[in-house]
PDB file of all heavy atoms in Angstrom:
ATOM      1  N   GLY A 107     252.305  31.018  13.303  1.00 94.00           N
ATOM      2  CA  GLY A 107     251.625  30.363  14.441  1.00 94.00           C
ATOM      3  C   GLY A 107     250.592  31.181  15.133  1.00 94.00           C
ATOM      4  O   GLY A 107     250.049  30.792  16.142  1.00 94.00           O
ATOM      5  N   GLY A 108     250.271  32.385  14.563  1.00 95.00           N
ATOM      6  CA  GLY A 108     249.205  33.175  15.165  1.00 95.00           C
ATOM      7  C   GLY A 108     247.913  32.955  14.389  1.00 95.00           C
ATOM      8  O   GLY A 108     247.714  31.881  13.790  1.00 95.00           O
ATOM      9  N   GLY A 109     247.009  33.925  14.406  1.00 97.00           N
ATOM     10  CA  GLY A 109     245.786  33.835  13.653  1.00 97.00           C
ATOM     11  C   GLY A 109     244.983  32.587  14.031  1.00 97.00           C
ATOM     12  O   GLY A 109     244.738  32.339  15.225  1.00 97.00           O
ATOM     13  N   ILE A 110     244.552  31.840  13.052  1.00 98.00           N
ATOM     14  CA  ILE A 110     243.732  30.639  13.301  1.00 98.00           C
ATOM     15  C   ILE A 110     244.428  29.736  14.327  1.00 98.00           C
ATOM     16  O   ILE A 110     243.768  29.181  15.233  1.00 98.00           O
ATOM     17  CB  ILE A 110     243.449  29.884  11.975  1.00 98.00           C
ATOM     18  CG1 ILE A 110     242.615  30.715  11.038  1.00 98.00           C
ATOM     19  CG2 ILE A 110     242.778  28.520  12.238  1.00 98.00           C
ATOM     20  CD1 ILE A 110     242.457  30.166   9.627  1.00 98.00           C
ATOM     21  N   HIS A 111     245.761  29.600  14.246  1.00 97.00           N
ATOM     22  CA  HIS A 111     246.475  28.699  15.178  1.00 97.00           C
ATOM     23  C   HIS A 111     246.318  29.185  16.638  1.00 97.00           C
ATOM     24  O   HIS A 111     246.195  28.335  17.540  1.00 97.00           O
ATOM     25  CB  HIS A 111     247.961  28.626  14.841  1.00 97.00           C
ATOM     26  CG  HIS A 111     248.251  27.983  13.537  1.00 97.00           C
ATOM     27  ND1 HIS A 111     247.828  26.684  13.232  1.00 97.00           N
ATOM     28  CD2 HIS A 111     248.858  28.440  12.408  1.00 97.00           C
ATOM     29  CE1 HIS A 111     248.171  26.395  11.989  1.00 97.00           C
ATOM     30  NE2 HIS A 111     248.793  27.424  11.461  1.00 97.00           N
ATOM     31  N   SER A 112     246.287  30.478  16.811  1.00 98.00           N
ATOM     32  CA  SER A 112     246.132  31.007  18.181  1.00 98.00           C
ATOM     33  C   SER A 112     244.741  30.652  18.719  1.00 98.00           C
ATOM     34  O   SER A 112     244.567  30.229  19.874  1.00 98.00           O
ATOM     35  CB  SER A 112     246.384  32.520  18.125  1.00 98.00           C
ATOM     36  OG  SER A 112     245.579  33.177  19.001  1.00 98.00           O
ATOM     37  N   THR A 113     243.732  30.749  17.851  1.00 98.00           N
ATOM     38  CA  THR A 113     242.391  30.364  18.270  1.00 98.00           C
ATOM     39  C   THR A 113     242.245  28.863  18.461  1.00 98.00           C
ATOM     40  O   THR A 113     241.525  28.398  19.326  1.00 98.00           O
ATOM     41  CB  THR A 113     241.339  30.895  17.256  1.00 98.00           C
ATOM     42  OG1 THR A 113     241.501  32.320  17.161  1.00 98.00           O
ATOM     43  CG2 THR A 113     239.926  30.550  17.665  1.00 98.00           C
ATOM     44  N   VAL A 114     243.021  28.065  17.703  1.00 98.00           N
ATOM     45  CA  VAL A 114     243.006  26.616  17.888  1.00 98.00           C
ATOM     46  C   VAL A 114     243.522  26.293  19.287  1.00 98.00           C
ATOM     47  O   VAL A 114     242.907  25.508  20.012  1.00 98.00           O
ATOM     48  CB  VAL A 114     243.851  25.909  16.811  1.00 98.00           C
ATOM     49  CG1 VAL A 114     244.104  24.439  17.146  1.00 98.00           C
ATOM     50  CG2 VAL A 114     243.156  26.004  15.455  1.00 98.00           C
ATOM     51  N   ARG A 115     244.602  26.968  19.702  1.00 98.00           N
ATOM     52  CA  ARG A 115     245.156  26.712  21.029  1.00 98.00           C
ATOM     53  C   ARG A 115     244.108  27.047  22.103  1.00 98.00           C
ATOM     54  O   ARG A 115     243.830  26.258  23.035  1.00 98.00           O
ATOM     55  CB  ARG A 115     246.426  27.515  21.283  1.00 98.00           C
ATOM     56  CG  ARG A 115     247.623  27.005  20.511  1.00 98.00           C
ATOM     57  CD  ARG A 115     248.936  27.683  20.947  1.00 98.00           C
ATOM     58  NE  ARG A 115     249.001  29.093  20.500  1.00 98.00           N
ATOM     59  CZ  ARG A 115     249.414  29.510  19.312  1.00 98.00           C
ATOM     60  NH1 ARG A 115     249.800  28.623  18.390  1.00 98.00           N
ATOM     61  NH2 ARG A 115     249.451  30.788  19.016  1.00 98.00           N
ATOM     62  N   ALA A 116     243.451  28.200  21.957  1.00 98.00           N
ATOM     63  CA  ALA A 116     242.460  28.608  22.963  1.00 98.00           C
ATOM     64  C   ALA A 116     241.257  27.666  22.962  1.00 98.00           C
ATOM     65  O   ALA A 116     240.666  27.403  24.025  1.00 98.00           O
ATOM     66  CB  ALA A 116     242.022  30.038  22.667  1.00 98.00           C
ATOM     67  N   THR A 117     240.911  27.150  21.791  1.00 98.00           N
ATOM     68  CA  THR A 117     239.740  26.271  21.692  1.00 98.00           C
ATOM     69  C   THR A 117     240.055  24.895  22.300  1.00 98.00           C
ATOM     70  O   THR A 117     239.229  24.265  22.949  1.00 98.00           O
ATOM     71  CB  THR A 117     239.299  26.145  20.246  1.00 98.00           C
ATOM     72  OG1 THR A 117     239.113  27.451  19.694  1.00 98.00           O
ATOM     73  CG2 THR A 117     238.009  25.338  20.087  1.00 98.00           C
ATOM     74  N   LYS A 118     241.278  24.459  22.129  1.00 98.00           N
ATOM     75  CA  LYS A 118     241.688  23.163  22.735  1.00 98.00           C
ATOM     76  C   LYS A 118     241.636  23.276  24.280  1.00 98.00           C
ATOM     77  O   LYS A 118     241.235  22.353  24.974  1.00 98.00           O
ATOM     78  CB  LYS A 118     243.103  22.774  22.304  1.00 98.00           C
ATOM     79  CG  LYS A 118     243.213  22.183  20.909  1.00 98.00           C
ATOM     80  CD  LYS A 118     244.637  21.672  20.686  1.00 98.00           C
ATOM     81  CE  LYS A 118     245.018  21.617  19.228  1.00 98.00           C
ATOM     82  NZ  LYS A 118     244.594  20.436  18.522  1.00 98.00           N
ATOM     83  N   GLN A 119     242.074  24.446  24.792  1.00 98.00           N
ATOM     84  CA  GLN A 119     242.137  24.644  26.222  1.00 98.00           C
ATOM     85  C   GLN A 119     240.740  24.736  26.883  1.00 98.00           C
ATOM     86  O   GLN A 119     240.556  24.433  28.047  1.00 98.00           O
ATOM     87  CB  GLN A 119     242.926  25.906  26.561  1.00 98.00           C
ATOM     88  CG  GLN A 119     244.422  25.627  26.651  1.00 98.00           C
ATOM     89  CD  GLN A 119     245.233  26.911  26.691  1.00 98.00           C
ATOM     90  OE1 GLN A 119     244.699  27.965  27.020  1.00 98.00           O
ATOM     91  NE2 GLN A 119     246.483  26.798  26.306  1.00 98.00           N
ATOM     92  N   ALA A 120     239.782  25.270  26.132  1.00 98.00           N
ATOM     93  CA  ALA A 120     238.471  25.543  26.714  1.00 98.00           C
ATOM     94  C   ALA A 120     237.693  24.244  26.906  1.00 98.00           C
ATOM     95  O   ALA A 120     237.822  23.294  26.132  1.00 98.00           O
ATOM     96  CB  ALA A 120     237.693  26.461  25.789  1.00 98.00           C
ATOM     97  N   THR A 121     236.879  24.221  27.976  1.00 98.00           N
ATOM     98  CA  THR A 121     235.990  23.053  28.162  1.00 98.00           C
ATOM     99  C   THR A 121     234.787  23.208  27.250  1.00 98.00           C
ATOM    100  O   THR A 121     234.480  24.311  26.767  1.00 98.00           O
ATOM    101  CB  THR A 121     235.483  22.990  29.614  1.00 98.00           C
ATOM    102  OG1 THR A 121     234.644  24.124  29.825  1.00 98.00           O
ATOM    103  CG2 THR A 121     236.621  22.977  30.633  1.00 98.00           C
ATOM    104  N   ALA A 122     234.081  22.084  27.069  1.00 98.00           N
ATOM    105  CA  ALA A 122     232.902  22.131  26.201  1.00 98.00           C
ATOM    106  C   ALA A 122     231.878  23.137  26.770  1.00 98.00           C
ATOM    107  O   ALA A 122     231.234  23.879  26.022  1.00 98.00           O
ATOM    108  CB  ALA A 122     232.288  20.733  26.073  1.00 98.00           C
ATOM    109  N   THR A 123     231.767  23.141  28.095  1.00 98.00           N
ATOM    110  CA  THR A 123     230.788  24.077  28.700  1.00 98.00           C
ATOM    111  C   THR A 123     231.169  25.522  28.452  1.00 98.00           C
ATOM    112  O   THR A 123     230.341  26.355  28.113  1.00 98.00           O
ATOM    113  CB  THR A 123     230.718  23.826  30.240  1.00 98.00           C
ATOM    114  OG1 THR A 123     230.554  22.438  30.430  1.00 98.00           O
ATOM    115  CG2 THR A 123     229.607  24.602  30.887  1.00 98.00           C
ATOM    116  N   GLU A 124     232.459  25.799  28.577  1.00 98.00           N
ATOM    117  CA  GLU A 124     232.924  27.192  28.328  1.00 98.00           C
ATOM    118  C   GLU A 124     232.646  27.586  26.877  1.00 98.00           C
ATOM    119  O   GLU A 124     232.145  28.672  26.589  1.00 98.00           O
ATOM    120  CB  GLU A 124     234.434  27.329  28.601  1.00 98.00           C
ATOM    121  CG  GLU A 124     234.777  27.370  30.056  1.00 98.00           C
ATOM    122  CD  GLU A 124     236.248  27.106  30.353  1.00 98.00           C
ATOM    123  OE1 GLU A 124     237.023  26.739  29.453  1.00 98.00           O
ATOM    124  OE2 GLU A 124     236.653  27.261  31.541  1.00 98.00           O
ATOM    125  N   LEU A 125     232.957  26.665  25.964  1.00 98.00           N
ATOM    126  CA  LEU A 125     232.730  26.953  24.550  1.00 98.00           C
ATOM    127  C   LEU A 125     231.245  27.177  24.270  1.00 98.00           C
ATOM    128  O   LEU A 125     230.849  28.056  23.500  1.00 98.00           O
ATOM    129  CB  LEU A 125     233.234  25.816  23.680  1.00 98.00           C
ATOM    130  CG  LEU A 125     234.751  25.638  23.514  1.00 98.00           C
ATOM    131  CD1 LEU A 125     235.066  24.439  22.627  1.00 98.00           C
ATOM    132  CD2 LEU A 125     235.401  26.883  22.941  1.00 98.00           C
ATOM    133  N   ARG A 126     230.433  26.318  24.906  1.00 98.00           N
ATOM    134  CA  ARG A 126     228.976  26.431  24.667  1.00 98.00           C
ATOM    135  C   ARG A 126     228.420  27.758  25.142  1.00 98.00           C
ATOM    136  O   ARG A 126     227.661  28.448  24.457  1.00 98.00           O
ATOM    137  CB  ARG A 126     228.251  25.262  25.341  1.00 98.00           C
ATOM    138  CG  ARG A 126     226.787  25.182  24.998  1.00 98.00           C
ATOM    139  CD  ARG A 126     226.050  24.204  25.851  1.00 98.00           C
ATOM    140  NE  ARG A 126     226.119  24.599  27.261  1.00 98.00           N
ATOM    141  CZ  ARG A 126     226.307  23.774  28.285  1.00 98.00           C
ATOM    142  NH1 ARG A 126     226.464  22.449  28.059  1.00 98.00           N
ATOM    143  NH2 ARG A 126     226.348  24.202  29.531  1.00 98.00           N
ATOM    144  N   GLU A 127     228.824  28.149  26.340  1.00 98.00           N
ATOM    145  CA  GLU A 127     228.259  29.390  26.910  1.00 98.00           C
ATOM    146  C   GLU A 127     228.750  30.604  26.180  1.00 98.00           C
ATOM    147  O   GLU A 127     228.025  31.588  25.998  1.00 98.00           O
ATOM    148  CB  GLU A 127     228.535  29.472  28.422  1.00 98.00           C
ATOM    149  CG  GLU A 127     227.751  28.415  29.225  1.00 98.00           C
ATOM    150  CD  GLU A 127     226.274  28.300  28.761  1.00 98.00           C
ATOM    151  OE1 GLU A 127     225.548  29.282  28.721  1.00 98.00           O
ATOM    152  OE2 GLU A 127     225.867  27.149  28.396  1.00 98.00           O
ATOM    153  N   LYS A 128     229.998  30.548  25.687  1.00 98.00           N
ATOM    154  CA  LYS A 128     230.537  31.676  24.886  1.00 98.00           C
ATOM    155  C   LYS A 128     229.789  31.744  23.522  1.00 98.00           C
ATOM    156  O   LYS A 128     229.371  32.805  23.084  1.00 98.00           O
ATOM    157  CB  LYS A 128     232.018  31.449  24.678  1.00 98.00           C
ATOM    158  CG  LYS A 128     232.727  32.486  23.852  1.00 98.00           C
ATOM    159  CD  LYS A 128     234.217  32.304  23.984  1.00 98.00           C
ATOM    160  CE  LYS A 128     235.011  32.913  22.863  1.00 98.00           C
ATOM    161  NZ  LYS A 128     234.725  34.309  22.615  1.00 98.00           N
ATOM    162  N   ALA A 129     229.590  30.580  22.899  1.00 98.00           N
ATOM    163  CA  ALA A 129     228.898  30.532  21.619  1.00 98.00           C
ATOM    164  C   ALA A 129     227.441  31.031  21.820  1.00 98.00           C
ATOM    165  O   ALA A 129     226.888  31.746  20.989  1.00 98.00           O
ATOM    166  CB  ALA A 129     228.919  29.124  21.026  1.00 98.00           C
TER     167      ALA A 129
END
Side-chain angles (χ1 to χ4, degrees):
I110 294 171
H111 294 302
S112 145
T113 301
V114 167
R115 286 189 291 276
T117 306
K118 281 187 204 279
Q119 273 167 22
T121 65
T123 310
E124 285 163 352
L125 288 179
R126 187 190 61 221
E127 291 317 304
K128 179 168 158 54

